[in-house]
Amino acid sequence: MESAIAEIERGGRVESRHAGTAVVVDAAGKVVFSLGDIDRPTYPRSAVKAFLALPLVESGAAGRLGLEDEELALACASHTGEAAHVAVAARMLARTGHDAACLECGTHWPVDADAAHALARAGGAPSALHNNCSGKHAGFVCLACDQDQKLGGYIHPDHPVMREVTAALADVTGAAHGPDNMGIDGCSIPTYAIPLRALAHGFARFGTGHGLGPERARAAARLRAAVAAAPFMVGGTGRFDSVLMQEMGPAVFSKMGAEGIMAASLPDQGLGIAVKCHDGAPRAAEVAMAALLMRFLGPDARDNPVLRGLAQHDLRNWNGMTVGRVRAAGPMHPDHRP
């Protein structure tokens, strides 16, 4: 029987449960907590965007182009398409002499409802800049231009930029990335199925630099610092990653991925965490991640009101009435005792 990582309560009863897998690993690869089959390959999706941004920094391209904290944070982002996100993505492209026409991520309306409504009221239409992955793709464009690579087709696995960022993924996670475990992500670049254990190990290494080369370790530290300085860029209004990192600063680097993936680095503790909700529900992965952070960040974290609010929060109906709650469950709960 699969283990629950989150449950939904209504009227004093458990209405539904979300099953999942979770693992906490140190930088040496030692598992310090696990739930479920942590060696089952799964697609990390957008959780690894910061790993994909490593070559942009370690190559020197980010420095030569003058990319600052907001721009580097956006390169790691799954953003909501708010005005600030769009402006920063456009600024990144402008540093290379290009605009949204060069992006190959596709177009969708802003994820943030207020931003979408404002755009529609103004008679506007979405562009690739509004795509939640536009910052990551702008980073690819910056790297390609700095290296004098052709831009067209940068999303394909055989493009020099994609080969370089895929090699970074394999190096940080220690897992193979090739045709046999490749799928296509929502923004059209490759995504690779790897064990959840390897994802957590990669986040431990990203957070500490242990096991990475000197340049890669410095690039990881630079990206973490950029995100800590500009956490809004990584998500947006009300998004888990932004809310968490606005509260915790450099103590946590957190990144969600589609289909119920959450991953985080705890640099001071030397740990990496990865969570997968099997039915793809982000609400379950988020409360489970918050609960694990409360447990592994130390005793003060248990009383942090933001973390507690992320690990258990109310459900409200369309009239604003509180009708239930979402909470971490079973071994995931920060107060669980085996």
Side-chain angles (χ1 to χ4, degrees), residues 243-256:
V243 171
L244 173 66
M245 292 188 287
Q246 283 166 349
E247 172 69 13
M248 304 305 299
V252 178
F253 176 91
S254 170
K255 186 67 188 69
M256 56 76 66

Side-chain angles (χ1 to χ4, degrees), residues 41 49 90 109 182 217 297 331 334:
K49 283 182 177 177
W109 285 90
M182 189 184 81
L297 277 171

Side-chain angles (χ1 to χ4, degrees), residues 275-299:
V275 175
K276 168 66 177 179
C277 176
H278 294 169
D279 63 15
R283 66 179 183 179
E286 290 173 357
V287 297
M289 173 58 76
L292 287 173
L293 291 172
M294 289 173 65
R295 183 181 304 184
F296 287 98
L297 277 171

Side-chain angles (χ1 to χ4, degrees), residues 186-246:
C187 67
S188 299
I189 71 164
T191 182
Y192 298 88
I194 62 171
L196 205 68
R197 179 205 301 258
L199 180 61
H201 190 198
F203 269 78
R205 298 173 79 188
F206 180 81
T208 61
H210 297 165
L212 304 181
E215 289 298 324
R216 184 147 289 171
R218 281 192 286 271
R222 176 69 186 98
L223 289 170
R224 295 198 317 272
V227 167
F232 176 81
M233 286 295 138
V234 180
T237 302
R239 299 280 278 192
F240 181 96
D241 292 327
S242 291
V243 171
L244 173 66
M245 292 188 287
Q246 283 166 349

Side-chain angles (χ1 to χ4, degrees), residues 61-284:
R64 286 186 288 271
L65 289 168
L67 300 183
E68 299 176 349
D69 288 340
E70 286 189 333
E71 293 154 315
L72 291 176
L74 197 75
C76 304
S78 296
H79 65 76
T80 49
E82 295 171 73
H85 301 122
V86 172
V88 172
R91 190 165 76 218
M92 293 174 71
L93 295 175
R95 293 185 187 276
T96 71
H98 291 85
D99 60 21
C102 72
L103 295 178
E104 298 181 357
C105 53
T107 297
H108 62 70
W109 285 90
V111 173
D112 181 77
D114 290 341
H117 294 159
L119 183 61
R121 281 196 303 270
S127 75
L129 295 172
H130 295 93
N131 187 300
N132 74 97
C133 295
S134 66
K136 174 181 73 177
H137 281 251
F140 295 153
V141 170
C142 287
L143 183 59
C145 289
D146 182 77
Q147 296 182 349
D148 293 323
Q149 301 288 350
K150 67 182 180 72
L151 282 184
Y154 70 79
I155 58 174
H156 299 308
D158 59 350
H159 189 279
V161 164
M162 206 50 55
R163 290 204 303 268
E164 189 168 355
V165 300
T166 300
L169 284 175
D171 176 58
V172 175
T173 63
H177 287 64
D180 291 344
N181 63 330
M182 189 184 81
I184 302 299
D185 213 334
C187 67
S188 299
I189 71 164
T191 182
Y192 298 88
I194 62 171
L196 205 68
R197 179 205 301 258
L199 180 61
H201 190 198
F203 269 78
R205 298 173 79 188
F206 180 81
T208 61
H210 297 165
L212 304 181
E215 289 298 324
R216 184 147 289 171
R218 281 192 286 271
R222 176 69 186 98
L223 289 170
R224 295 198 317 272
V227 167
F232 176 81
M233 286 295 138
V234 180
T237 302
R239 299 280 278 192
F240 181 96
D241 292 327
S242 291
V243 171
L244 173 66
M245 292 188 287
Q246 283 166 349
E247 172 69 13
M248 304 305 299
V252 178
F253 176 91
S254 170
K255 186 67 188 69
M256 56 76 66
E259 298 299 330
I261 284 281
M262 288 294 307
S265 298
L266 281 59
D268 293 342
Q269 289 75 22
L271 299 175
I273 304 175
V275 175
K276 168 66 177 179
C277 176
H278 294 169
D279 63 15
R283 66 179 183 179

